[in-house]
Amino acid sequence: MRRFIFPNNLTSRIENPRFSRGIVQRLNCALLLAVVLLSAAPAALPQAKRSDYFKPAEMMKIGVYYYPEAWSPEQWERDIANIKKLGMEFIHMGEFAWTFMEPEEGRFDFAWLDRAVALAAKNNLKVILCTPSAAPPIWLVRKHPEVLMTDLRGRRMEHGSRSHGDWSSEVYRRYVGRVVTELARRYGNNKNVWGWQIDNEPSHYGRNYDYGAASQTKFRVWLERKYKTVDALNRDWGTSFWSERYQNFGQIRIPNPDELVQRANPHAVLDFYRWFAEETADYIRFQADLLRQNSRNQWITTNFMPLYSPVSPPASGKDLDIVTWTLYPVAGGQNSDGALGFRLGDGGSMSFIHDFMRPINGAHGIMELQPGQVNWGSVNPQPLPGAVHLWIMRAFAGGSNLLCTYRYRQPLSGSELYHKGLVEPDGVTPSPGGREFAQAAREMEILRKNYKANAPMPIVYRARRAALLYNVENRWDMDNHKQTARWNTMEHLLKYYKPLKSFGAPVDVITEDKDFSAYPFLIVPAYQLVDAGLVKRLTDYARGGGHLVLSTRTGQKDRRGHLWEAAWAAPINDLIGAKIAAYDLLPEPLKGQIKMNDAQYEWGVWSETLEPRAGTTALAVYADQYYAGQTAAVTRRLGSGTVTYVGAESLNGNFERDVLRGVFERANVRTENFDAGLIVDWRDGFWVATNFTSKKQTAPISPNARILFGSREIEPAGVTAWAE
Ligand code: GAL
């Protein structure tokens, strides 16, 4: 990961007269000397171990957001005491409060936050503090309009909402750096402060990318570092076509659909997405470094929107102590199964996010969980009674170290009125979500009482361990050039992920830096961009006894996004033991047919006709179109493992499920057959079954198990936990 060097240490801010006023006025000489010495040695202060922050026996801490600045100070004491009474263990504050922390340039006011932190401590609540950089104050944007982001139509965004700061702007970073430093100095040694959240959902929401002058410049610098010469860039971007050739890096602009007559160059787009994700990670790191330099024994995170693809959470894995995210399962329009799905959310997607975030650096949790109806969906239905509790326990089962809900009080004014909190608008009566949080807090106590350190993972569960290989770059490339409007990368991935959960398998969604050999099963869906090194690792994995499953589109291109000057997906042909003769796509609403054993499946998104080589078995054939009888999926043995290639995406995922089941069966690994949406996981010695389906389900509890809460028969939104 490349890093940009910014004049972001305190020395340079003090030397710069534009930034010195506020600080210098308030520092005497001795302090100034200390500051300069400190900044000359930017090393982080000694920090605790992760197990000190997140004690294994506590498993998952539960807490809530509170915005003291939005409520009358006379109510803080009551509110914070009530938060404790609900069973909360921590309280989250400070987010978006820049205008209160620095009401005028260089004048900092933390007295109000001191009082709120002290009230939390009095009530034995830990505190998570948040840097306020997602909400620049009006004085800043009026003085420096260049800190505002620019959208794809070249319009500068305005004050009056949030996330409108341009984190590529050096000026913005200086101001952010100063407020973060002041905040960290104030609370970095405060024993009541447990950890830090950086910014809020680092993103520009629906505006996605910044196209302003600072971004243009930094993108060019990045390209020059990457390619060294413009000839190399021209080669990799394929600019010979349409006379796109550049003569120097200074001529390049961010590929912007609003400035172009036709489709942007796909290689330029891929590089822009790479740069933007790295730039966002750099901004997170910039704040994390400042926090670490000024705090002691406090952990650091940011709250990602995990599947929001302009940002890449794994890129921040080394910079954060814990990776957290925001989760709002019911806001209308979700692709959730069953009659009650719109009130329950999609358990499979939720589980996918846990399994994606957990392996990044080992510590993870939900920083914002929906507490009830929200205000921003296309339609904002009520969650089913019990659904909030269901989501909390899914987070527990997924291994979360913390679970925080957004928010304690329902706002009575401002952009988020209508958003439920843990209490009703009167500020004191627990809402349905508040009661479900209180229930979960009581259950966490039951679980902690029954906790046994180092409980071994049950053998049957362990035997099913599967990894799904994910690289956001594949998603960027496919989403940018789908080739069929029916293509949806996440849906494709979920057609592999959800069956694994219905088999009762523990899954990690991993990136390429991880060791594949830890998993008996490795699924590599639609992995479009490959290189020889990756193909060799996959080959070695199977040779060494792993069961490898690849799907459509895998290996079509190199990492630049070029097709191979060879057979289609040539680098994987030897691995899968087949040639990929052609691919086909059907316009809506047409469907094609596939046959496997005695079953028939429908496809519509993507199909590939395969030509198996000697030693490779055809698993399924197409049953119509002019290529009826040709192969749709193959499998082969390789060394002591197997390789399976699935050449079609089915409409409902049943084909993928049945192919996967065959892979497990041939490996002699017994699987469950849960309805999609009954998700059962094991954690720290506890089994937890969460029912996201619209009907009653039976938990797979063995006769000698001890039910800790819930019951054998689980209603929709029900949860059962047991120990064996
Ligand atoms: C999140 C955001 C919060 C709040 C919440 C409302 O996406 O991070 O600040 O706006 O939505 O549901």
Side-chain angles (χ1 to χ4, degrees):
M1 181 77 54
R2 287 178 181 77
R3 292 186 60 177
F4 290 97
I5 311 300
F6 287 91
N8 63 17
N9 64 46
L10 198 65
T11 317
S12 62
R13 281 198 301 279
I14 288 174
E15 282 164 0
N16 184 333
R18 273 186 307 170
F19 297 95
S20 61
R21 217 173 2 119
I23 297 177
V24 173
Q25 275 167 1
R26 292 165 53 249
L27 294 180
N28 60 31
C29 285
L31 185 56
L32 185 62
L33 183 65
V35 164
V36 170
L37 288 174
L38 198 68
S39 59
L45 294 175
Q47 306 293 332
K49 294 196 304 293
R50 181 177 290 159
S51 54
D52 294 330
Y53 300 137
F54 309 109
K55 301 207 167 43
E58 291 180 338
M59 293 181 283
M60 181 175 84
K61 289 276 197 197
I62 299 187
V64 66
Y65 274 63
Y66 185 59
Y67 293 96
E69 67 278 17
W71 303 101
S72 153
E74 289 88 71
Q75 296 181 334
W76 297 1
E77 181 136 27
R78 176 201 73 187
D79 286 351
I80 293 174
N82 284 346
I83 286 173
K84 178 69 184 176
K85 276 187 210 141
L86 269 184
M88 300 297 102
E89 298 167 295
F90 64 84
I91 181 169
H92 180 295
M93 297 189 286
E95 191 187 46
F96 305 129
W98 195 340
T99 183
F100 295 93
M101 293 177 184
E102 190 181 4
E104 285 168 38
E105 180 168 358
R107 182 168 72 78
F108 293 93
D109 176 4
F110 294 111
W112 63 276
L113 193 52
D114 289 348
R115 178 168 172 248
V117 170
L119 283 172
K122 183 175 157 198
N123 285 282
N124 202 17
L125 290 162
K126 292 171 189 270
V127 175
I128 298 176
L129 283 182
C130 186
T131 70
S133 51
I138 186 69
W139 57 257
L140 171 54
V141 306
R142 287 292 177 263
K143 180 171 180 194
H144 290 292
E146 70 271 29
V147 304
L148 291 164
M149 72 161 294
T150 304
D151 79 350
L152 82 175
R153 290 169 63 187
R155 296 172 306 191
R156 205 169 244 175
M157 296 292 100
E158 242 305 337
H159 183 82
S161 170
R162 63 167 162 185
S163 298
H164 45 293
D166 171 7
W167 56 74
S168 294
S169 150
E170 207 176 290
V171 178
Y172 193 57
R173 287 214 187 189
R174 283 181 189 154
Y175 279 93
V176 168
R178 188 166 64 178
V179 71
V180 169
T181 304
E182 290 289 328
L183 189 60
R185 289 221 177 112
R186 185 86 173 192
Y187 300 103
N189 280 305
N190 187 319
K191 298 250 174 323
N192 304 317
V193 175
W194 187 30
W196 294 91
Q197 176 191 310
I198 291 168
D199 204 79
N200 169 64
E201 289 185 327
S203 69
H204 297 304
Y205 292 103
R207 305 279 171 198
N208 289 325
Y209 303 101
D210 184 277
Y211 295 85
S215 297
Q216 300 283 0
T217 305
K218 291 184 80 179
F219 179 49
R220 282 185 208 118
V221 169
W222 184 88
L223 289 172
E224 195 161 358
R225 282 205 192 143
K226 174 170 178 174
Y227 290 105
K228 313 277 187 298
T229 67
V230 80
D231 287 348
L233 175 137
N234 281 319
R235 182 198 60 213
D236 282 7
W237 282 15
T239 56
S240 307
F241 194 48
W242 289 354
S243 198
E244 280 174 17
R245 236 148 36 106
Y246 294 98
Q247 294 155 310
N248 59 62
F249 287 98
Q251 293 167 332
I252 299 171
R253 282 181 64 78
I254 291 169
N256 177 345
D258 228 58
E259 290 178 354
L260 297 166
V261 169
Q262 255 208 332
R263 185 191 283 281
N265 178 307
H267 316 290
V269 171
L270 187 56
D271 268 344
F272 173 57
Y273 289 173
R274 284 177 173 136
W275 169 75
F276 189 82
E278 285 189 21
E279 176 69 357
T280 311
D282 183 80
Y283 179 57
I284 293 166
R285 183 180 312 119
F286 158 70
Q287 293 203 33
D289 287 350
L290 291 176
L291 291 173
R292 258 187 210 110
Q293 285 161 27
N294 294 289
S295 68
R296 188 184 285 272
N297 300 336
Q298 293 166 341
W299 51 260
I300 298 171
T301 192
T302 187
N303 60 343
F304 288 108
M305 285 186 277
L307 301 181
Y308 170 82
S309 74
V311 167
S312 175
S316 296
K318 291 199 173 66
D319 301 314
L320 304 175
D321 299 298
I322 174 170
V323 188
T324 67
W325 72 99
T326 63
L327 183 68
Y328 293 86
V330 168
Q334 260 97 349
N335 178 23
S336 320
D337 296 332
L340 294 173
F342 75 104
R343 296 195 192 282
L344 290 168
D346 181 10
S349 311
M350 238 175 270
S351 180
F352 180 95
I353 297 171
H354 284 286
D355 290 348
F356 169 48
M357 300 300 265
R358 189 184 49 243
I360 291 177
N361 72 15
H364 76 127
I366 299 181
M367 191 54 89
E368 291 180 28
L369 178 69
Q370 177 172 3
Q373 270 166 301
V374 296
N375 64 301
W376 48 261
S378 48
V379 180
N380 297 293
Q382 286 187 25
L384 195 70
V388 172
H389 174 249
L390 172 76
W391 304 329
I392 301 171
M393 286 302 155
R394 175 99 301 281
F396 172 78
S400 296
N401 300 96
L402 67 80
L403 186 283
C404 185
T405 184
Y406 186 90
R407 49 192 294 158
Y408 179 63
R409 288 192 66 174
Q410 170 155 359
L412 309 179
S413 60
S415 297
E416 295 196 339
L417 48 72
Y418 285 123
H419 197 293
K420 293 291 276 190
L422 294 191
V423 288
E424 297 290 0
D426 66 8
V428 289
T429 310
S431 63
R435 294 197 295 273
E436 290 178 30
F437 259 88
Q439 175 190 349
R442 291 192 297 273
E443 290 167 353
M444 280 309 306
E445 286 311 311
I446 300 176
L447 292 164
R448 287 176 190 152
K449 280 198 187 96
N450 286 276
Y451 175 83
K452 293 198 189 80
N454 304 318
M457 189 184 268
I459 291 163
V460 276
Y461 189 66
R462 179 171 206 93
R464 298 180 197 137
R465 280 192 85 197
L468 190 143
L469 194 63
Y470 176 79
N471 183 342
V472 71
E473 295 196 358
N474 293 314
R475 191 167 156 209
W476 290 334
D477 196 52
M478 291 186 288
D479 289 353
N480 179 49
H481 199 155
K482 294 184 173 192
Q483 193 63 346
T484 164
R486 295 172 89 169
W487 180 264
N488 180 317
T489 304
M490 283 317 298
E491 274 180 23
H492 185 85
L493 265 51
L494 288 169
K495 283 177 182 167
Y496 288 87
Y497 177 82
K498 287 185 179 181
L500 294 171
K501 295 314 292 178
S502 77
F503 298 168
V507 183
D508 285 341
V509 177
I510 59 168
T511 41
E512 283 174 38
D513 52 311
K514 300 290 187 297
D515 174 13
F516 303 160
S517 69
Y519 304 92
F521 301 92
L522 175 63
I523 321 297
V524 184
Y527 215 88
Q528 185 152 285
L529 310 178
V530 302
D531 56 28
L534 176 62
V535 175
K536 180 171 185 317
R537 284 182 65 200
L538 295 174
T539 307
D540 291 347
Y541 165 79
R543 278 224 172 86
H547 300 285
L548 176 68
V549 179
L550 307 112
S551 79
T552 54
R553 299 188 84 146
T554 298
Q556 273 180 17
K557 297 181 178 178
D558 65 20
R559 303 274 191 183
R560 300 171 303 177
H562 288 205
L563 295 171
W564 307 98
E565 193 169 358
W568 195 254
I572 64 162
N573 288 184
D574 287 348
L575 175 62
I576 67 174
K579 182 175 162 197
I580 300 171
Y583 71 89
D584 197 16
L585 318 166
L586 295 177
E588 209 89 78
L590 298 184
K591 298 166 183 170
Q593 305 293 322
I594 304 167
K595 263 168 98 174
M596 184 165 66
N597 303 323
D598 295 330
Q600 186 113 357
Y601 308 87
E602 290 176 339
W603 73 274
V605 181
W606 195 282
S607 79
E608 291 167 5
T609 38
L610 312 176
E611 292 175 6
R613 295 181 188 162
T616 301
T617 308
L619 288 174
V621 294
Y622 295 100
D624 67 355
Q625 310 302 322
Y626 72 89
Y627 41 81
Q630 291 193 40
T631 303
V634 291
T635 192
R636 67 183 289 235
R637 291 189 161 282
L638 179 61
S640 40
T642 63
V643 182
T644 302
Y645 186 85
V646 191
E649 179 182 322
S650 70
L651 288 176
N652 60 9
N654 287 353
F655 180 53
E656 290 84 340
R657 180 199 62 201
D658 290 352
V659 170
L660 282 178
R661 190 180 298 287
V663 171
F664 276 70
E665 273 168 15
R666 288 188 293 277
N668 290 320
V669 172
R670 188 175 70 74
T671 57
E672 302 284 357
N673 190 17
F674 299 136
D675 279 357
L678 173 65
I679 305 180
V680 183
D681 276 313
W682 179 92
R683 176 202 177 153
D684 286 318
F686 304 106
W687 287 97
V688 183
T690 47
N691 185 4
F692 287 82
T693 75
S694 298
K695 59 180 205 211
K696 203 186 256 188
Q697 299 282 349
T698 305
I701 305 178
S702 64
N704 50 358
R706 247 177 339 120
I707 293 185
L708 298 171
F709 54 86
S711 54
R712 192 172 293 271
E713 297 300 305
I714 324 174
E715 298 292 337
V719 177
T720 303
W722 67 97
E724 287 181 346

